[in-house]
Amino acid sequence: SPTIAASKESVCVGESVTLTATNCSGTLTWNTGATTASITVNPATTTTYSVVCKVSGCEGTASKTITVGTGN
């Protein structure tokens, strides 16, 4: 099953995070609609990103929650 690595798991509003999916030899699909192994996101609130890896009809999923602080 895939693994998601995040450049940061806790950010401030306005910061971007790069998420990279590894350990997938098949087709990747993120819940953002992206199909690349690495995506850059700019969450406004705490968001959970997930990825589905399809290999020969089998699916594996992984998810990662990015915590966003408001600075208040």
Side-chain angles (χ1 to χ4, degrees):
S1 58
T3 306
I4 298 174
S7 56
K8 293 181 180 178
E9 296 197 16
S10 181
V11 297
C12 301
V13 171
E15 287 188 311
S16 61
V17 178
T18 300
L19 301 174
T20 305
T22 55
N23 200 34
C24 176
S25 58
T27 307
L28 277 171
T29 309
W30 293 87
N31 63 340
T32 61
T35 55
T36 52
S38 184
I39 62 171
T40 300
V41 293
N42 200 327
T45 59
T46 296
T47 306
T48 299
Y49 296 93
S50 60
V51 69
V52 177
C53 177
K54 285 187 185 177
V55 183
S56 304
C58 300
E59 290 188 1
T61 60
S63 62
K64 175 81 73 179
T65 300
I66 304 302
T67 304
V68 179
T70 59
N72 293 340

